[in-house]
Amino acid sequence: MWSQEAKDELLEWCEAEGLATVDDLDGTALRRFREAARVRPRLIQVAGLKRGMRVPDPDGISREPRTTNRVLRSLGTVLEELRACGVLPLTRDEIRDNVRPVKAPRALPRFLRQDECAALLQAALRHDAEPFALTREEQAAGLKQGSTPRFEP
């Protein structure tokens, strides 16, 4: 599914760039595609269109780096398959170097304070105690494993 989107996006870009055959694809062209994919506007849903149809954001906001990376990963897979079949005149290194992921910002982890750690551990102990108490009650009632009083086998 994602591979089809990546192929469609590459074909659309190649047509706009005037690249007619795979022989025209080289490392420089892949770098230009990567940059075009990075700044491509995100797609949004608009009321009144068919379900699943999306249009470019009129505000021109570019898509998230993770979306761009998904397209680039899928495209790298497709290009690698074409290379392995002997259709694409690129090497594995050229594909890997020119279709590398874009940098995405990562949220910094927030470390818990001592009192927050203690509260989390207490909540976990309370949670664990409930299922074990229920299991002990079932065992004390003489029920066998997997049976319940509501649904007699």
Side-chain angles (χ1 to χ4, degrees), residues 9 60 66 68 72 74 76 82-85 91 98 126 146 151:
E9 192 170 322
R66 67 175 179 250
T68 301
L72 292 174
S74 298
L82 290 173
R83 183 204 63 79
C85 293
T91 65
N98 295 305
R126 280 193 309 273
F151 302 107

Side-chain angles (χ1 to χ4, degrees), residues 41 49 64 93 120 137 151:
L49 292 178
E64 293 287 325
D93 289 338
L120 180 63
E137 289 171 11
F151 302 107

Side-chain angles (χ1 to χ4, degrees), residues 103-116:
K103 292 192 184 226
R106 289 188 171 201
L108 293 175
R110 186 177 92 54
F111 296 102
L112 298 177
R113 295 188 317 264
Q114 185 176 1
D115 59 331
E116 292 172 326

Side-chain angles (χ1 to χ4, degrees), residues 138-150:
E138 288 176 355
Q139 286 178 353
L143 298 174
K144 59 183 179 183
Q145 184 177 1
S147 66
T148 61
R150 276 192 317 177

Side-chain angles (χ1 to χ4, degrees), residues 37-50:
R38 189 183 66 76
V39 297
R40 187 176 176 131
R42 68 180 178 174
L43 299 177
I44 60 171
Q45 293 181 347
V46 177
L49 292 178
K50 287 176 70 175

